[in-house]
Amino acid sequence: MKTIIVPTDFSETAYNAARYAIGLAQQAGATRIVLYHAYELIVPIPDLPTAVPIVNMDDLRESSMEGLRNMQAQLRPMLPAHITLDIRADNHLLAANIDQVCREELADVVVMGITGGSQLEEILVGSNTVDVVKSSAYPVIVVPKQAAFNPIQKVLVACDLRKVAKTTRKAPLMKFLELFKPELHVVNIQKEGREHIRPEENQELDNMLHDFNPQYHFIDRPNIPEAVTEFAQAEKADLLLIIPKKHGLFDSIFKRSNTSRIAFHTNVPLLSIHE
C-alpha cells in the first residue's frame, strides 16, 4: 500500500477519517495521503429569480483549496517523516469521479468518514460515503465519527456464504490480508429458521482463506445488520469487511430505517471490497 485517498467535506467526521488514514499509513507502510475535495459548481437556472447569487468557479475552487490547506496544516504535525500529505480539489461529483481520481493518483484505498447523530447529519455526511462505496471499484474504508485508529489485528468478514468465493475479487482481498496478516473471523448470520450453509459446503471460500486460518461463526438473529455490528464490537474487531452485493448485506446495513441504521452508530470501521 502506497497511497491513500481521503475525500473530505471539512467536517469533524472527515478530520477523524484523515487521522485514521495517518494511522493506517503508518501500519501499512504507505508513503502518501491525498486529501481530496470534490466541489460542485451550481449552474444558474433561467427560471429562477435573478436575485439568486451566481457562484464564480474560481472563487469556489479557491475556497476549496483554502479548506484543504487549512486541513493539511492541522494534520501535518501528526505525520511521520516518511509520509507526504498532498491536497487536490476538482469540480466533480464525488461518487461519479472517485475512481478516476484513484487511477490518476495511483491510490490503493479510499478512507472516508460516516457520521451518526441527527438524521440530517446522516443524510449529508452519510450519503456521500454510501454512494462512494456503492459505486467505487476501489477498496473503501468507512470510518465512524467516534472511531479511533487501532492497528488492524483482528478482521471480521461478514458474508452469507452463498457464491461468495465466486463473487469476491480475490486480488485486493488477498493483498489486504497478506499485508496485515490479521486474526480472521468469518461470520454468517441467518434469520431464524433458515438453514445455514456450512463452510465445507463452500470449499472454494475455505480454500481461498486457508492460509489465514479463519474461524467460522454461525448466528441466528432476525436483524442481520444489527447482529453483524454487535458481533464485531463484542469480538473487539479492528475492522469489519463486507463484499457489497446488490440487495445484499451492504444495502441492509446502510438502509435508513430505524432498525437498520446501526451502521451509523458502530465504533468498528468497515472495509468494502466490491464483488
PDB file of all heavy atoms in Angstrom, residues 13 16-17 19-20 114 142-150 238 266-270:
ATOM      1  N   THR A  13     -16.027  14.800  11.169  1.00  0.00           N
ATOM      2  CA  THR A  13     -16.042  13.412  10.724  1.00  0.00           C
ATOM      3  C   THR A  13     -14.941  13.160   9.701  1.00  0.00           C
ATOM      4  O   THR A  13     -14.256  12.134   9.733  1.00  0.00           O
ATOM      5  CB  THR A  13     -17.418  13.066  10.121  1.00  0.00           C
ATOM      6  OG1 THR A  13     -18.413  13.227  11.128  1.00  0.00           O
ATOM      7  CG2 THR A  13     -17.454  11.641   9.612  1.00  0.00           C
ATOM      8  N   ASN A  16     -11.556  13.170  11.397  1.00  0.00           N
ATOM      9  CA  ASN A  16     -11.330  11.906  12.090  1.00  0.00           C
ATOM     10  C   ASN A  16     -10.904  10.823  11.101  1.00  0.00           C
ATOM     11  O   ASN A  16     -10.019  10.017  11.398  1.00  0.00           O
ATOM     12  CB  ASN A  16     -12.598  11.473  12.829  1.00  0.00           C
ATOM     13  CG  ASN A  16     -12.382  10.236  13.664  1.00  0.00           C
ATOM     14  OD1 ASN A  16     -11.513  10.210  14.540  1.00  0.00           O
ATOM     15  ND2 ASN A  16     -13.152   9.192  13.411  1.00  0.00           N
ATOM     16  N   ALA A  17     -11.534  10.799   9.917  1.00  0.00           N
ATOM     17  CA  ALA A  17     -11.146   9.833   8.893  1.00  0.00           C
ATOM     18  C   ALA A  17      -9.706  10.065   8.442  1.00  0.00           C
ATOM     19  O   ALA A  17      -8.955   9.111   8.194  1.00  0.00           O
ATOM     20  CB  ALA A  17     -12.090   9.921   7.700  1.00  0.00           C
ATOM     21  N   ARG A  19      -7.294  11.348  10.295  1.00  0.00           N
ATOM     22  CA  ARG A  19      -6.422  10.855  11.375  1.00  0.00           C
ATOM     23  C   ARG A  19      -6.323   9.325  11.316  1.00  0.00           C
ATOM     24  O   ARG A  19      -5.252   8.749  11.554  1.00  0.00           O
ATOM     25  CB  ARG A  19      -6.958  11.315  12.737  1.00  0.00           C
ATOM     26  CG  ARG A  19      -6.824  12.818  12.970  1.00  0.00           C
ATOM     27  CD  ARG A  19      -7.150  13.197  14.400  1.00  0.00           C
ATOM     28  NE  ARG A  19      -8.564  13.061  14.701  1.00  0.00           N
ATOM     29  CZ  ARG A  19      -9.459  14.033  14.591  1.00  0.00           C
ATOM     30  NH1 ARG A  19      -9.080  15.230  14.157  1.00  0.00           N
ATOM     31  NH2 ARG A  19     -10.727  13.833  14.907  1.00  0.00           N
ATOM     32  N   TYR A  20      -7.443   8.681  11.003  1.00  0.00           N
ATOM     33  CA  TYR A  20      -7.429   7.233  10.840  1.00  0.00           C
ATOM     34  C   TYR A  20      -6.494   6.837   9.693  1.00  0.00           C
ATOM     35  O   TYR A  20      -5.714   5.884   9.808  1.00  0.00           O
ATOM     36  CB  TYR A  20      -8.844   6.728  10.561  1.00  0.00           C
ATOM     37  CG  TYR A  20      -8.949   5.221  10.485  1.00  0.00           C
ATOM     38  CD1 TYR A  20      -9.321   4.473  11.594  1.00  0.00           C
ATOM     39  CD2 TYR A  20      -8.663   4.537   9.295  1.00  0.00           C
ATOM     40  CE1 TYR A  20      -9.411   3.089  11.527  1.00  0.00           C
ATOM     41  CE2 TYR A  20      -8.745   3.163   9.224  1.00  0.00           C
ATOM     42  CZ  TYR A  20      -9.119   2.438  10.341  1.00  0.00           C
ATOM     43  OH  TYR A  20      -9.188   1.067  10.268  1.00  0.00           O
ATOM     44  N   ILE A 114     -18.045   8.560   8.220  1.00  0.00           N
ATOM     45  CA  ILE A 114     -19.508   8.497   8.204  1.00  0.00           C
ATOM     46  C   ILE A 114     -19.975   8.914   9.589  1.00  0.00           C
ATOM     47  O   ILE A 114     -19.332   8.605  10.590  1.00  0.00           O
ATOM     48  CB  ILE A 114     -20.020   7.094   7.829  1.00  0.00           C
ATOM     49  CG1 ILE A 114     -21.503   7.143   7.469  1.00  0.00           C
ATOM     50  CG2 ILE A 114     -19.768   6.081   8.926  1.00  0.00           C
ATOM     51  CD1 ILE A 114     -21.998   5.902   6.748  1.00  0.00           C
ATOM     52  N   VAL A 142     -14.706   2.760   5.601  1.00  0.00           N
ATOM     53  CA  VAL A 142     -15.667   3.711   6.172  1.00  0.00           C
ATOM     54  C   VAL A 142     -15.365   3.844   7.660  1.00  0.00           C
ATOM     55  O   VAL A 142     -15.393   2.848   8.392  1.00  0.00           O
ATOM     56  CB  VAL A 142     -17.110   3.217   5.958  1.00  0.00           C
ATOM     57  CG1 VAL A 142     -18.099   4.189   6.589  1.00  0.00           C
ATOM     58  CG2 VAL A 142     -17.397   3.062   4.467  1.00  0.00           C
ATOM     59  N   VAL A 143     -15.083   5.069   8.095  1.00  0.00           N
ATOM     60  CA  VAL A 143     -14.667   5.314   9.478  1.00  0.00           C
ATOM     61  C   VAL A 143     -15.780   6.037  10.232  1.00  0.00           C
ATOM     62  O   VAL A 143     -16.096   7.191   9.920  1.00  0.00           O
ATOM     63  CB  VAL A 143     -13.375   6.159   9.525  1.00  0.00           C
ATOM     64  CG1 VAL A 143     -12.907   6.324  10.974  1.00  0.00           C
ATOM     65  CG2 VAL A 143     -12.278   5.520   8.683  1.00  0.00           C
ATOM     66  N   PRO A 144     -16.398   5.405  11.210  1.00  0.00           N
ATOM     67  CA  PRO A 144     -17.421   6.089  12.006  1.00  0.00           C
ATOM     68  C   PRO A 144     -16.838   7.302  12.733  1.00  0.00           C
ATOM     69  O   PRO A 144     -15.640   7.347  13.036  1.00  0.00           O
ATOM     70  CB  PRO A 144     -17.863   5.020  13.015  1.00  0.00           C
ATOM     71  CG  PRO A 144     -17.495   3.719  12.382  1.00  0.00           C
ATOM     72  CD  PRO A 144     -16.245   3.997  11.603  1.00  0.00           C
ATOM     73  N   LYS A 145     -17.696   8.259  12.998  1.00  0.00           N
ATOM     74  CA  LYS A 145     -17.265   9.521  13.595  1.00  0.00           C
ATOM     75  C   LYS A 145     -16.506   9.318  14.896  1.00  0.00           C
ATOM     76  O   LYS A 145     -15.552  10.034  15.197  1.00  0.00           O
ATOM     77  CB  LYS A 145     -18.486  10.414  13.827  1.00  0.00           C
ATOM     78  CG  LYS A 145     -18.172  11.795  14.373  1.00  0.00           C
ATOM     79  CD  LYS A 145     -19.447  12.611  14.522  1.00  0.00           C
ATOM     80  CE  LYS A 145     -19.144  14.018  15.053  1.00  0.00           C
ATOM     81  NZ  LYS A 145     -20.388  14.820  15.175  1.00  0.00           N
ATOM     82  N   GLN A 146     -16.928   8.326  15.692  1.00  0.00           N
ATOM     83  CA  GLN A 146     -16.342   8.138  17.011  1.00  0.00           C
ATOM     84  C   GLN A 146     -15.223   7.097  17.033  1.00  0.00           C
ATOM     85  O   GLN A 146     -14.719   6.750  18.098  1.00  0.00           O
ATOM     86  CB  GLN A 146     -17.424   7.744  18.022  1.00  0.00           C
ATOM     87  CG  GLN A 146     -18.136   6.428  17.712  1.00  0.00           C
ATOM     88  CD  GLN A 146     -19.337   6.611  16.812  1.00  0.00           C
ATOM     89  OE1 GLN A 146     -19.300   7.368  15.840  1.00  0.00           O
ATOM     90  NE2 GLN A 146     -20.432   5.923  17.136  1.00  0.00           N
ATOM     91  N   ALA A 147     -14.823   6.578  15.876  1.00  0.00           N
ATOM     92  CA  ALA A 147     -13.822   5.511  15.828  1.00  0.00           C
ATOM     93  C   ALA A 147     -12.415   6.092  15.745  1.00  0.00           C
ATOM     94  O   ALA A 147     -12.121   6.922  14.891  1.00  0.00           O
ATOM     95  CB  ALA A 147     -14.066   4.604  14.634  1.00  0.00           C
ATOM     96  N   ALA A 148     -11.545   5.626  16.630  1.00  0.00           N
ATOM     97  CA  ALA A 148     -10.128   5.978  16.568  1.00  0.00           C
ATOM     98  C   ALA A 148      -9.380   4.825  15.894  1.00  0.00           C
ATOM     99  O   ALA A 148      -9.855   3.687  15.874  1.00  0.00           O
ATOM    100  CB  ALA A 148      -9.577   6.218  17.966  1.00  0.00           C
ATOM    101  N   PHE A 149      -8.204   5.121  15.353  1.00  0.00           N
ATOM    102  CA  PHE A 149      -7.443   4.071  14.687  1.00  0.00           C
ATOM    103  C   PHE A 149      -6.862   3.100  15.703  1.00  0.00           C
ATOM    104  O   PHE A 149      -6.236   3.495  16.680  1.00  0.00           O
ATOM    105  CB  PHE A 149      -6.301   4.651  13.848  1.00  0.00           C
ATOM    106  CG  PHE A 149      -5.451   3.578  13.215  1.00  0.00           C
ATOM    107  CD1 PHE A 149      -5.896   2.909  12.089  1.00  0.00           C
ATOM    108  CD2 PHE A 149      -4.227   3.221  13.763  1.00  0.00           C
ATOM    109  CE1 PHE A 149      -5.128   1.903  11.505  1.00  0.00           C
ATOM    110  CE2 PHE A 149      -3.460   2.219  13.187  1.00  0.00           C
ATOM    111  CZ  PHE A 149      -3.912   1.564  12.061  1.00  0.00           C
ATOM    112  N   ASN A 150      -7.098   1.821  15.456  1.00  0.00           N
ATOM    113  CA  ASN A 150      -6.429   0.742  16.168  1.00  0.00           C
ATOM    114  C   ASN A 150      -5.701  -0.090  15.130  1.00  0.00           C
ATOM    115  O   ASN A 150      -6.268  -0.366  14.056  1.00  0.00           O
ATOM    116  CB  ASN A 150      -7.433  -0.145  16.922  1.00  0.00           C
ATOM    117  CG  ASN A 150      -8.046   0.557  18.119  1.00  0.00           C
ATOM    118  OD1 ASN A 150      -7.349   1.227  18.867  1.00  0.00           O
ATOM    119  ND2 ASN A 150      -9.348   0.412  18.279  1.00  0.00           N
ATOM    120  N   ASP A 238     -11.055  -5.061  14.798  1.00  0.00           N
ATOM    121  CA  ASP A 238     -10.475  -3.785  14.376  1.00  0.00           C
ATOM    122  C   ASP A 238     -11.061  -3.325  13.055  1.00  0.00           C
ATOM    123  O   ASP A 238     -10.994  -2.142  12.719  1.00  0.00           O
ATOM    124  CB  ASP A 238      -8.952  -3.922  14.243  1.00  0.00           C
ATOM    125  CG  ASP A 238      -8.304  -4.338  15.549  1.00  0.00           C
ATOM    126  OD1 ASP A 238      -8.542  -3.664  16.565  1.00  0.00           O
ATOM    127  OD2 ASP A 238      -7.592  -5.362  15.548  1.00  0.00           O
ATOM    128  N   THR A 266     -21.930   2.436  14.980  1.00  0.00           N
ATOM    129  CA  THR A 266     -20.935   1.477  15.428  1.00  0.00           C
ATOM    130  C   THR A 266     -19.575   2.157  15.548  1.00  0.00           C
ATOM    131  O   THR A 266     -19.314   3.174  14.913  1.00  0.00           O
ATOM    132  CB  THR A 266     -20.833   0.297  14.446  1.00  0.00           C
ATOM    133  OG1 THR A 266     -19.829  -0.601  14.907  1.00  0.00           O
ATOM    134  CG2 THR A 266     -20.466   0.776  13.044  1.00  0.00           C
ATOM    135  N   ASN A 267     -18.706   1.570  16.372  1.00  0.00           N
ATOM    136  CA  ASN A 267     -17.346   2.092  16.508  1.00  0.00           C
ATOM    137  C   ASN A 267     -16.363   1.345  15.619  1.00  0.00           C
ATOM    138  O   ASN A 267     -15.181   1.678  15.612  1.00  0.00           O
ATOM    139  CB  ASN A 267     -16.880   1.971  17.973  1.00  0.00           C
ATOM    140  CG  ASN A 267     -17.630   2.912  18.881  1.00  0.00           C
ATOM    141  OD1 ASN A 267     -17.929   4.040  18.505  1.00  0.00           O
ATOM    142  ND2 ASN A 267     -17.944   2.453  20.078  1.00  0.00           N
ATOM    143  N   VAL A 268     -16.823   0.335  14.896  1.00  0.00           N
ATOM    144  CA  VAL A 268     -15.920  -0.509  14.129  1.00  0.00           C
ATOM    145  C   VAL A 268     -15.846  -0.024  12.683  1.00  0.00           C
ATOM    146  O   VAL A 268     -16.858  -0.005  11.982  1.00  0.00           O
ATOM    147  CB  VAL A 268     -16.388  -1.984  14.156  1.00  0.00           C
ATOM    148  CG1 VAL A 268     -15.407  -2.864  13.382  1.00  0.00           C
ATOM    149  CG2 VAL A 268     -16.524  -2.476  15.589  1.00  0.00           C
ATOM    150  N   PRO A 269     -14.663   0.382  12.196  1.00  0.00           N
ATOM    151  CA  PRO A 269     -14.533   0.761  10.776  1.00  0.00           C
ATOM    152  C   PRO A 269     -14.891  -0.400   9.863  1.00  0.00           C
ATOM    153  O   PRO A 269     -14.779  -1.576  10.233  1.00  0.00           O
ATOM    154  CB  PRO A 269     -13.039   1.120  10.653  1.00  0.00           C
ATOM    155  CG  PRO A 269     -12.638   1.492  12.044  1.00  0.00           C
ATOM    156  CD  PRO A 269     -13.421   0.584  12.947  1.00  0.00           C
ATOM    157  N   LEU A 270     -15.320  -0.059   8.667  1.00  0.00           N
ATOM    158  CA  LEU A 270     -15.839  -1.049   7.725  1.00  0.00           C
ATOM    159  C   LEU A 270     -15.066  -0.959   6.412  1.00  0.00           C
ATOM    160  O   LEU A 270     -14.940   0.125   5.841  1.00  0.00           O
ATOM    161  CB  LEU A 270     -17.327  -0.789   7.518  1.00  0.00           C
ATOM    162  CG  LEU A 270     -18.134  -1.755   6.679  1.00  0.00           C
ATOM    163  CD1 LEU A 270     -19.596  -1.746   7.149  1.00  0.00           C
ATOM    164  CD2 LEU A 270     -18.092  -1.354   5.204  1.00  0.00           C
TER     165      LEU A 270
END
